[in-house]
Amino acid sequence: MDIALTLGVLVVALIAFIFEWLPVDITALAVAVVLIVLGLVTPEEGIEGFGNSATITVLAMFILSAGVTRTGVVQIARDWLIKYGGKSVTRQILVMGGIVGPITAFINNTAVVAIFLPIIEDWCKKRNVSPSKLLMPLSFVTILGGMITLIGTSTNILASGVSKKLGYGEFGLFQFTALGIITFIIGILYLAFIAPKLIPNRKQTSGDLVSDEYGLKDYVTEVIISPKSSLIGQTLRQSEIQRKFDVDVLELIRDGSQFPQPIADKVLNAGDILLVRGSSAELLKIKDQKGLEIFPDVKFNKEDLETELSEGELGIAEVLILSNSRLIGSTLKDLRFRQRYNATVLAIRRGEELIRDRLGKVPLRFGDLLLVQGPKESFLGLQTTRELLVMEQKELDNLRTNKAWIALAICLAVIIVAAFDLLPILVTALVGVILMVITGCLKPGEIYGAVRWDVIFLLAGLIPLGTAMDNSGATKWLADALLSLGGNLSGYWILLFFFVATSLLTEILSNNASVVLMIPIAVEVAKSLSLNPYAFMFAVTFAASNSFMTPIGYQTNTMVYGPGGYKFTDFFRVGGPLNLLMAIVTPILIVLLYGLKP
C-alpha cells in the first residue's frame, strides 16, 4: 500500500511539473506536505530538506557567486571576450566558451548568463551578427561548464547529498572533473563548428524594436482631446481611461511640449495630444465614449524614437524577468508596474509568442521579455533591481571593483580547502559567506537577494520524496522491475539506459527532480548487478544537466529564449544532436575513467 501511495504521489507530481499548474518550487513543497499527511514520511523527515547539507551548500554558493559578481571579477572576463572575440561566429563561440565555461565551473550559471546576456547582445550589434547565433551557445556552454566541478550547479551538489544519504559519501570537489572537461571540449567543438549551420538568424541587430521586432506600428498612435471631450478638466487618474480601456497613455503633448510619465495627475485640456498604445478596437471605443480624435497617419516610428533618444527625454529597452523575480505570477496591473518603475510596458515577448493586447491582465513568467518605454532615468532603477535585467550593456558604477581581489581570494580559499579535504565544502562555503560580508564584498542586506529561493525551496521539497521512495520500498520495486526487463543486458547498456532516461526526464522536469528520483534507482540496480554505483551516479548526474532540447528544461535556456527570438523547435534542432552526442560519448567515458566494476 505504501508503495502504491508513493508512486501515486510521484505520478501526480510529475503531471504537475509538466503542466506547471503551480511554480515548480511550490509544487515540490506541496509534495512534501502530502507525503507528511499520508504518513509516508515523518514530519521531521518532511522538513529535513531545509537543513540538508546539499540545500545549505547550494544556498552558500549562491551568495559566494554574488560576491564575485558584485565586485566586478566577471567584468574582467567580459573585456577579454570583447578583445579576442574576432569576427567569425566560430571564433566567437570558441572564445566565449573558453572564457565563460571555466567561470561556470565555480559560479552559478544563471548568474553568469545574466551578466553576459547584454554583453553578447551589444557584441552582436557591433559586429552585425544575429544574437540568435550566440545566445543559445552561451546557454549550452554554461550548462557544460557547470559539470566540470561539484559546485558548478545545484544539481551536482544535490547528487552529492543523495550519494551521502545512500551511504557512499559526498562527491569530491574535482571527483568527476576529468569527465566534465572532456565532455565540455566535445560540446564546444560541436557548438563552434556545427551549431552555427543549424541556428537560424532569428533576430536582426539593426531592426526597429518597436515596429519590426514587436509589430507595434499599428498599435501606438496619437489622439487629440476635442473641445467636446468629457475628459477636459479631469486628470488621467480621474478619467480612469487606462483602467476601463485596454490602453496605455505613454506621453502628453501640449503646445509642442512633451510630458512623459508620470502624467497621471496632469489635468487634461482641449487640444492636448496623447500618445497611446492600444488596439484599434479599443481606440475606437475611446473615440466614441470620450470624445477623442485619432490621428491615423501619425505612427510611433523609428525616426521619432531616435529623436527622443538623442534628446535624452525618453528611452525604450527590452527587460528580462529573472527567475528570482517577485513579479512572476503577478500581472502588470496588480504590480502597478507603471507607478513602481515610472515606465510603461508596450509588449511582452514570451519565446516565439508576442503579446500586445490586454497586457495588464497577463500573469508574468520567468523568461518574459518586456518592451518598456519611459524616461531614461527610469532604466537606472530597472537596472539595479535583482529581479529584472535590462538588455543593454551598461557600466555599473556601484560595482566594488576595489574588492575584486578579495572576493577572488575568498573563493579560491574555499575551493582549495575543500579540494584537499581539510574541511567539508559545506563548512568552507559558509566560512566564505561570512568573509564576503566582513570584508565588504557584500552588504548584509544583499545576501537575501543573492539566493535563488525558488531553487532552495525546490530542493527542500524534493528531498522528502526521495526519503518516501526509500521508506516505502518504491525505489527497490522500480529497480527490480527494471532488472526483470533488462537484466540480461551488459553493464554498459544499462548505464546508457539510465543516461538516456534521465536526459529525457530532465527535459520535462527540473534537473534536480530527475537526480532525486533516478540516482537511488540507478544505485539499487548497480548493487543488484555488482556494478560500480559511482559510475551510475555520475551518469545520472551528467544526464540531468544535459538539457539542450527544449527552452524550458534548464533555466539558462529559458533566459535566452526570448532575447534570441528563438522558436521552440530551434532548441530541438540544435540541442537534439548535442544531446545525442553526449549520450554516445558520456557513458563510454564513464566506463573508461571510472570502470563498471566496484
Side-chain angles (χ1 to χ4, degrees), residues 54 150 155-165 169-172 519:
L150 172 67
T155 307
N156 297 351
I157 297 173
L158 179 60
S160 176
V162 174
S163 172
K164 179 182 177 182
K165 188 174 182 179
E170 296 180 328
F171 298 157
I519 283 184

Side-chain angles (χ1 to χ4, degrees), residues 99-330:
I99 294 172
V100 175
I103 293 174
T104 53
F106 302 98
I107 297 177
N108 177 258
N109 50 15
T110 53
V112 174
V113 170
I115 291 170
F116 279 93
L117 252 175
I119 296 170
I120 297 296
E121 282 227 330
D122 185 67
W123 195 29
C124 289
K125 287 178 184 177
K126 292 178 179 177
R127 288 163 175 76
N128 198 27
V129 175
S130 173
S132 61
K133 289 289 187 181
L134 294 176
L135 290 184
M136 191 185 296
L138 170 66
S139 175
F140 291 176
V141 161
T142 62
I143 294 172
L144 292 166
M147 298 307 300
I148 294 176
T149 71
L150 172 67
I151 60 176
T153 71
S154 61
T155 307
N156 297 351
I157 297 173
L158 179 60
S160 176
V162 174
S163 172
K164 179 182 177 182
K165 188 174 182 179
L166 294 174
Y168 295 94
E170 296 180 328
F171 298 157
L173 184 61
F174 298 110
Q175 189 159 355
F176 45 72
T177 295
L179 176 61
I181 290 175
I182 297 173
T183 55
F184 175 76
I185 292 172
I186 292 171
I188 285 293
L189 294 176
Y190 166 84
L191 291 172
F193 294 99
I194 298 176
K197 299 179 176 64
L198 303 176
I199 303 174
N201 292 308
R202 288 296 184 203
K203 189 175 180 182
Q204 301 305 315
T205 56
S206 57
D208 175 10
L209 268 179
V210 176
S211 61
D212 294 345
E213 294 187 24
Y214 284 87
L216 288 178
K217 185 175 180 180
D218 297 327
Y219 288 80
V220 182
T221 189
E222 293 181 351
V223 296
I224 187 170
I225 299 176
S226 69
K228 297 180 180 180
S229 174
S230 61
L231 298 178
I232 295 174
Q234 294 183 337
T235 64
L236 270 177
R237 181 178 284 111
Q238 291 169 340
S239 70
E240 296 188 326
I241 62 172
Q242 296 184 116
R243 186 180 68 82
K244 294 179 179 178
F245 303 93
D246 184 27
V247 297
D248 287 312
V249 179
L250 310 177
E251 187 177 282
L252 169 66
I253 303 171
R254 177 178 297 161
D255 298 327
S257 299
Q258 293 175 308
F259 299 93
Q261 295 286 349
I263 53 176
D265 294 319
K266 293 277 186 188
V267 177
L268 301 175
N269 300 329
D272 284 352
I273 297 173
L274 303 178
L275 183 69
V276 297
R277 185 215 64 84
S279 66
S280 56
E282 291 295 314
L283 291 174
L284 288 174
K285 286 181 187 179
I286 297 177
K287 178 179 183 293
D288 294 337
Q289 297 181 28
K290 298 294 183 181
L292 300 179
E293 295 299 330
I294 301 173
F295 288 177
D297 297 326
V298 181
K299 301 297 181 184
F300 196 54
N301 55 43
K302 185 176 180 180
E303 290 74 21
D304 296 335
L305 178 59
E306 287 176 346
T307 299
E308 289 175 332
L309 292 176
S310 64
E311 291 174 354
E313 295 176 355
L314 287 178
I316 192 165
E318 293 174 306
V319 179
L320 182 70
I321 296 182
L322 299 177
S323 55
N324 60 337
S325 176
R326 289 172 293 180
L327 278 62
I328 295 173
S330 300

Side-chain angles (χ1 to χ4, degrees), residues 441-510:
C441 295
L442 278 176
K443 294 179 181 178
E446 292 175 336
I447 289 178
Y448 303 99
V451 177
R452 284 276 310 281
W453 293 106
D454 57 324
V455 174
I456 298 303
F457 280 90
L458 175 65
L459 297 181
L462 287 175
I463 288 171
L465 180 59
T467 302
M469 295 278 290
D470 186 49
N471 290 349
S472 65
T475 298
K476 190 175 188 311
W477 184 84
L478 287 172
D480 290 342
L482 289 174
L483 285 171
S484 65
L485 292 173
N488 295 324
L489 296 175
S490 68
Y492 166 77
W493 289 106
I494 295 175
L495 189 71
L496 177 62
F497 166 79
F498 274 102
F499 188 95
V500 173
T502 306
S503 182
L504 293 174
L505 190 63
T506 200
E507 295 292 351
I508 55 177
L509 290 182
S510 76

Side-chain angles (χ1 to χ4, degrees), residues 6-22:
T6 303
L7 293 178
V9 172
L10 175 61
V11 170
V12 173
L14 291 175
I15 295 172
F17 278 124
I18 293 170
F19 289 100
E20 295 183 337
W21 292 330
L22 292 169

